[in-house]
Amino acid sequence: MNDGQDKAGSATRVVLLGVLAFFALGFALPGGAVYLDVVDGWAGSPRGFHGIEGAVDWIFGVSAAAAVAVGLIIGGVAVRFLPWRHAPLASLLLSVLSTGFVIATYLVFSDTGTDPGSIEVVFLRVVCLAMLVLVALPPFLHWAMAKPSTVAATPGPRP
């Protein structure tokens, strides 16, 4: 009787992982395309995010970074439910990549040519700190709190 429940549970898990992957890609891909376009415009401009065009690009870029962050959060949840023994290691990789993304976002979008205490730079700091806590910390905690693999815990042959 447990076989029917196990098959239903695994089918439910597969459907849940598929839905989570769909939504993660649905946020991350369009957001990433806009983000890369804005960063490419920033890299090609000697002025950075200055003037009206720079302000509009800055708003679009930070919004796109938030969309990518939502995709990473959903992807982190999917990795958490992944029935794979290396899922904690994948979570650690996701955490490191997310941290790099947040740091790059801060470095690029803080180039506004204004005072470091200006409202847009302070807002960017708050957004980046929130992204670190919401995007990078949960996968790291999944990795840190994972039980060691039974394969690694078994002693090897004794001499």
Side-chain angles (χ1 to χ4, degrees):
M1 191 169 225
N2 281 341
D3 282 339
Q5 291 175 351
D6 290 341
K7 287 180 183 177
S10 66
T12 304
R13 179 176 277 181
V14 167
V15 169
L16 176 64
L17 287 172
V19 169
L20 288 173
F22 174 78
F23 280 112
L25 291 175
F27 279 102
L29 290 179
V34 171
Y35 181 85
L36 289 176
D37 185 47
V38 170
V39 170
D40 183 48
W42 167 81
S45 171
R47 301 177 305 140
F49 294 107
H50 302 294
I52 296 299
E53 283 185 23
V56 170
D57 284 346
W58 189 88
I59 290 170
F60 275 119
V62 171
S63 300
V68 171
V70 169
L72 290 172
I73 290 169
I74 297 170
V77 171
V79 169
R80 173 65 183 94
F81 289 121
L82 199 63
W84 183 40
R85 69 182 192 134
H86 296 297
L89 190 59
S91 288
L92 178 64
L93 179 65
L94 180 65
S95 178
V96 169
L97 293 175
S98 299
T99 302
F101 170 73
V102 172
I103 290 171
T105 298
Y106 180 77
L107 292 175
V108 168
F109 290 99
S110 63
D111 181 22
T112 59
T114 60
D115 179 29
S118 65
I119 189 69
E120 63 267 11
V121 176
V122 171
F123 176 74
L124 181 66
R125 286 182 191 145
V126 170
V127 166
C128 286
L129 284 174
M131 285 192 328
L132 276 176
V133 169
L134 295 174
V135 178
L137 186 61
F140 176 77
L141 292 176
H142 175 226
W143 170 77
M145 297 173 130
K147 295 178 183 174
S149 175
T150 56
V151 174
T154 15
R158 293 190 179 167

